[in-house]
PDB file of all heavy atoms in Angstrom:
ATOM      1  N   GLY A  42       4.199 -62.478  10.739  1.00 98.00           N
ATOM      2  CA  GLY A  42       4.706 -61.374  11.537  1.00 98.00           C
ATOM      3  C   GLY A  42       3.687 -60.892  12.544  1.00 98.00           C
ATOM      4  O   GLY A  42       2.958 -61.681  13.152  1.00 98.00           O
ATOM      5  N   MET A  43       3.617 -59.566  12.703  1.00 98.00           N
ATOM      6  CA  MET A  43       2.771 -58.966  13.737  1.00 98.00           C
ATOM      7  C   MET A  43       1.825 -57.948  13.129  1.00 98.00           C
ATOM      8  O   MET A  43       2.234 -57.101  12.315  1.00 98.00           O
ATOM      9  CB  MET A  43       3.650 -58.287  14.799  1.00 98.00           C
ATOM     10  CG  MET A  43       2.900 -57.622  15.936  1.00 98.00           C
ATOM     11  SD  MET A  43       4.042 -56.964  17.198  1.00 98.00           S
ATOM     12  CE  MET A  43       4.601 -58.485  17.979  1.00 98.00           C
ATOM     13  N   ARG A  44       0.567 -58.008  13.536  1.00 98.00           N
ATOM     14  CA  ARG A  44      -0.461 -57.053  13.104  1.00 98.00           C
ATOM     15  C   ARG A  44      -0.761 -56.098  14.260  1.00 98.00           C
ATOM     16  O   ARG A  44      -1.023 -56.526  15.380  1.00 98.00           O
ATOM     17  CB  ARG A  44      -1.731 -57.818  12.724  1.00 98.00           C
ATOM     18  CG  ARG A  44      -2.845 -56.952  12.156  1.00 98.00           C
ATOM     19  CD  ARG A  44      -4.151 -57.731  12.078  1.00 98.00           C
ATOM     20  NE  ARG A  44      -4.724 -57.945  13.406  1.00 98.00           N
ATOM     21  CZ  ARG A  44      -5.128 -59.125  13.870  1.00 98.00           C
ATOM     22  NH1 ARG A  44      -5.021 -60.223  13.127  1.00 98.00           N
ATOM     23  NH2 ARG A  44      -5.641 -59.222  15.098  1.00 98.00           N
ATOM     24  N   PHE A  45      -0.723 -54.811  13.960  1.00 98.00           N
ATOM     25  CA  PHE A  45      -1.064 -53.802  14.955  1.00 98.00           C
ATOM     26  C   PHE A  45      -2.520 -53.386  14.751  1.00 98.00           C
ATOM     27  O   PHE A  45      -2.901 -52.924  13.681  1.00 98.00           O
ATOM     28  CB  PHE A  45      -0.133 -52.593  14.831  1.00 98.00           C
ATOM     29  CG  PHE A  45       1.255 -52.855  15.342  1.00 98.00           C
ATOM     30  CD1 PHE A  45       2.204 -53.492  14.548  1.00 98.00           C
ATOM     31  CD2 PHE A  45       1.617 -52.495  16.634  1.00 98.00           C
ATOM     32  CE1 PHE A  45       3.482 -53.751  15.016  1.00 98.00           C
ATOM     33  CE2 PHE A  45       2.887 -52.741  17.117  1.00 98.00           C
ATOM     34  CZ  PHE A  45       3.825 -53.373  16.311  1.00 98.00           C
ATOM     35  N   ASP A  46      -3.323 -53.530  15.788  1.00 98.00           N
ATOM     36  CA  ASP A  46      -4.758 -53.295  15.686  1.00 98.00           C
ATOM     37  C   ASP A  46      -5.181 -51.890  16.092  1.00 98.00           C
ATOM     38  O   ASP A  46      -6.341 -51.523  15.883  1.00 98.00           O
ATOM     39  CB  ASP A  46      -5.517 -54.316  16.539  1.00 98.00           C
ATOM     40  CG  ASP A  46      -5.414 -55.724  15.973  1.00 98.00           C
ATOM     41  OD1 ASP A  46      -5.175 -55.855  14.762  1.00 98.00           O
ATOM     42  OD2 ASP A  46      -5.562 -56.690  16.744  1.00 98.00           O
ATOM     43  N   ASN A  47      -4.284 -51.137  16.685  1.00 98.00           N
ATOM     44  CA  ASN A  47      -4.594 -49.763  17.074  1.00 98.00           C
ATOM     45  C   ASN A  47      -3.500 -48.817  16.591  1.00 98.00           C
ATOM     46  O   ASN A  47      -2.868 -48.106  17.381  1.00 98.00           O
ATOM     47  CB  ASN A  47      -4.769 -49.652  18.592  1.00 98.00           C
ATOM     48  CG  ASN A  47      -6.123 -50.127  19.056  1.00 98.00           C
ATOM     49  OD1 ASN A  47      -7.150 -49.810  18.460  1.00 98.00           O
ATOM     50  ND2 ASN A  47      -6.144 -50.910  20.125  1.00 98.00           N
ATOM     51  N   ALA A  48      -3.262 -48.846  15.286  1.00 98.00           N
ATOM     52  CA  ALA A  48      -2.311 -47.926  14.664  1.00 98.00           C
ATOM     53  C   ALA A  48      -3.088 -46.777  14.030  1.00 98.00           C
ATOM     54  O   ALA A  48      -4.140 -46.994  13.402  1.00 98.00           O
ATOM     55  CB  ALA A  48      -1.473 -48.643  13.612  1.00 98.00           C
ATOM     56  N   PHE A  49      -2.586 -45.556  14.167  1.00 98.00           N
ATOM     57  CA  PHE A  49      -3.314 -44.369  13.719  1.00 98.00           C
ATOM     58  C   PHE A  49      -2.379 -43.383  13.023  1.00 98.00           C
ATOM     59  O   PHE A  49      -1.176 -43.339  13.291  1.00 98.00           O
ATOM     60  CB  PHE A  49      -3.985 -43.684  14.915  1.00 98.00           C
ATOM     61  CG  PHE A  49      -4.900 -44.589  15.685  1.00 98.00           C
ATOM     62  CD1 PHE A  49      -4.492 -45.182  16.873  1.00 98.00           C
ATOM     63  CD2 PHE A  49      -6.165 -44.882  15.203  1.00 98.00           C
ATOM     64  CE1 PHE A  49      -5.322 -46.038  17.579  1.00 98.00           C
ATOM     65  CE2 PHE A  49      -7.012 -45.740  15.902  1.00 98.00           C
ATOM     66  CZ  PHE A  49      -6.587 -46.323  17.088  1.00 98.00           C
ATOM     67  N   CYS A  50      -2.962 -42.588  12.137  1.00 98.00           N
ATOM     68  CA  CYS A  50      -2.214 -41.494  11.524  1.00 98.00           C
ATOM     69  C   CYS A  50      -2.402 -40.242  12.372  1.00 98.00           C
ATOM     70  O   CYS A  50      -3.271 -40.178  13.244  1.00 98.00           O
ATOM     71  CB  CYS A  50      -2.669 -41.253  10.087  1.00 98.00           C
ATOM     72  SG  CYS A  50      -4.383 -40.676   9.919  1.00 98.00           S
ATOM     73  N   THR A  51      -1.603 -39.235  12.100  1.00 98.00           N
ATOM     74  CA  THR A  51      -1.668 -37.997  12.878  1.00 98.00           C
ATOM     75  C   THR A  51      -2.207 -36.821  12.066  1.00 98.00           C
ATOM     76  O   THR A  51      -2.401 -35.736  12.614  1.00 98.00           O
ATOM     77  CB  THR A  51      -0.273 -37.643  13.423  1.00 98.00           C
ATOM     78  OG1 THR A  51       0.688 -37.679  12.357  1.00 98.00           O
ATOM     79  CG2 THR A  51       0.152 -38.650  14.494  1.00 98.00           C
ATOM     80  N   ASN A  52      -2.474 -37.046  10.782  1.00 98.00           N
ATOM     81  CA  ASN A  52      -3.055 -36.026   9.897  1.00 98.00           C
ATOM     82  C   ASN A  52      -3.443 -36.760   8.623  1.00 98.00           C
ATOM     83  O   ASN A  52      -2.566 -37.151   7.851  1.00 98.00           O
ATOM     84  CB  ASN A  52      -2.056 -34.908   9.613  1.00 98.00           C
ATOM     85  CG  ASN A  52      -2.640 -33.757   8.803  1.00 98.00           C
ATOM     86  OD1 ASN A  52      -3.752 -33.840   8.275  1.00 98.00           O
ATOM     87  ND2 ASN A  52      -1.890 -32.681   8.687  1.00 98.00           N
ATOM     88  N   ALA A  53      -4.740 -36.965   8.391  1.00 98.00           N
ATOM     89  CA  ALA A  53      -5.198 -37.904   7.371  1.00 98.00           C
ATOM     90  C   ALA A  53      -5.294 -37.312   5.975  1.00 98.00           C
ATOM     91  O   ALA A  53      -6.364 -37.301   5.351  1.00 98.00           O
ATOM     92  CB  ALA A  53      -6.539 -38.515   7.778  1.00 98.00           C
ATOM     93  N   ILE A  54      -4.179 -36.837   5.479  1.00 97.00           N
ATOM     94  CA  ILE A  54      -4.033 -36.545   4.053  1.00 97.00           C
ATOM     95  C   ILE A  54      -2.603 -36.901   3.634  1.00 97.00           C
ATOM     96  O   ILE A  54      -1.714 -37.061   4.477  1.00 97.00           O
ATOM     97  CB  ILE A  54      -4.382 -35.093   3.658  1.00 97.00           C
ATOM     98  CG1 ILE A  54      -3.760 -34.096   4.607  1.00 97.00           C
ATOM     99  CG2 ILE A  54      -5.879 -34.914   3.550  1.00 97.00           C
ATOM    100  CD1 ILE A  54      -4.010 -32.650   4.203  1.00 97.00           C
TER     101      ILE A  54
END
Side-chain angles (χ1 to χ4, degrees):
M43 180 176 287
R44 184 192 72 230
F45 286 82
D46 291 336
N47 281 316
F49 304 100
C50 65
T51 51
N52 185 350
I54 46 176

